[in-house]
Amino acid sequence: MSNVHKSTKMVAERFTVDLNKPLVFQVGHLGEDYEEWVHQPIMSKEGPRFFENDFLEMFTCTKWWVIPVVWIPVVCWLVIKSVHMGHTVSQAALMVVGGVLLWTLIEYTLHRFLFHIKTSSYWTNTLHYLIHGCHHKHPMDGLRLVFPPAATAILCVPIWSLIRLLSTPSTAPAIFGGGLLGYVMYDCTHYYLHHGQPSKVPARNLKKYHLNHHYRMQNRGFGITSSLWDIVFGTLPPPMPSRKSS
């Protein structure tokens, strides 16, 4: 009897995820099988349910346009703040450009070292699925492609602290505003790469580049808005083989 019980338990731990039930508290049971499971994408545009609780579920869904609506006014306020503290508009613009460039490095670093960290325990699998695993499992889920504003606000705290530490009180707002603008560009670009149909370069090439990361080489091509840091740090994926027309 005990052997039958152990056998049943092993099957459960190997784990069969029920896609008709909320997923968040299931995926942790996958253990070491989570890495393989999460990189076997489901292409449906209809995303899964995360939580049984409707209130929690509400916070997991964000339409793409919410990102610029929420954050662009904040960007403007931050840049104006630096101007009011004595900088010219052209100086503030240069700070914004620096902030956007800084964001591209943050984007690469987060994607490579946090979003693609290897996990195997129950809670690390669960947390990873919430942060990024859900996107690789359901890459066409349009309501879970951009970051919810609450999550972005939490991420802003250490970034703002770092910029304040490395800059001056009058330059920090515009630089941070540039970083925030870079984030808005990142999230909107990311959404477009999955749901848009670009016909011209560079957008068409960027879409191919990102889809290559999803479906061919998940350990390469971490840049979303640019391949700059993939080139710098040697994570540029080899080119996809060209399709020969018959």
Side-chain angles (χ1 to χ4, degrees):
M1 186 73 175
S2 60
N3 289 336
V4 173
H5 176 72
K6 288 180 179 178
S7 176
T8 304
K9 189 176 180 182
M10 285 182 65
V11 171
E13 289 179 351
R14 288 280 321 189
F15 192 73
T16 302
V17 173
D18 188 345
L19 296 174
N20 295 314
K21 295 180 180 179
L23 293 188
V24 167
F25 295 123
Q26 291 190 68
V27 299
H29 294 293
L30 287 163
E32 294 181 354
D33 294 330
Y34 169 77
E35 179 73 16
E36 180 182 358
W37 176 85
V38 84
H39 288 119
Q40 296 173 346
I42 296 172
M43 298 306 297
S44 171
K45 289 187 177 181
E46 183 179 347
R49 189 172 179 91
F50 274 24
F51 297 102
E52 189 73 42
N53 183 281
D54 290 336
F55 182 73
L56 291 176
E57 185 72 8
M58 176 181 67
F59 286 100
T60 71
C61 299
T62 308
K63 293 183 181 293
W64 74 268
W65 51 262
V66 170
I67 305 307
V69 166
V70 169
W71 295 115
I72 290 298
V74 179
V75 171
C76 294
W77 177 77
L78 287 164
V79 175
I80 290 170
K81 188 173 181 179
S82 281
V83 172
H84 284 174
M85 294 175 79
H87 293 284
T88 65
V89 172
S90 58
Q91 288 172 336
L94 285 175
M95 296 172 205
V96 169
V97 171
V100 171
L101 183 61
L102 175 63
W103 166 258
T104 63
L105 179 58
I106 294 171
E107 169 195 314
Y108 173 89
T109 303
L110 288 174
H111 194 186
R112 180 178 178 182
F113 296 107
L114 178 61
F115 295 174
H116 282 270
I117 192 172
K118 307 295 184 187
T119 64
S120 59
S121 71
Y122 178 85
W123 287 112
T124 55
N125 284 350
T126 302
L127 185 60
H128 180 269
Y129 181 78
L130 279 168
I131 293 173
H132 192 63
C134 58
H135 176 54
H136 272 265
K137 188 64 180 178
H138 298 269
M140 299 305 293
D141 182 354
L143 292 178
R144 296 197 179 92
L145 210 159
V146 299
F147 264 60
T152 303
I154 294 170
L155 182 62
C156 280
V157 173
I159 296 175
W160 167 246
S161 300
L162 178 64
I163 290 174
R164 284 186 64 191
L165 181 67
L166 299 177
S167 61
T168 66
S170 63
T171 60
I175 294 172
F176 182 71
L180 199 54
L181 177 61
Y183 157 71
V184 172
M185 295 165 62
Y186 150 80
D187 243 354
C188 292
T189 299
H190 191 195
Y191 185 92
Y192 180 67
L193 295 182
H194 280 272
H195 294 276
Q197 298 297 330
S199 59
K200 297 180 180 179
V201 294
R204 184 176 61 190
N205 290 342
L206 204 56
K207 182 180 177 80
K208 289 180 180 177
Y209 187 80
H210 185 57
L211 296 185
N212 185 45
H213 166 75
H214 268 276
Y215 306 121
R216 183 166 167 254
M217 299 188 74
Q218 291 89 8
N219 61 344
R220 297 272 174 170
F222 297 106
I224 306 297
T225 54
S226 167
S227 60
L228 170 64
W229 299 110
D230 283 307
I231 295 170
V232 171
F233 294 114
T235 53
L236 195 70
M240 294 180 67
S242 59
R243 294 179 180 178
K244 294 182 180 179
S245 56
S246 55

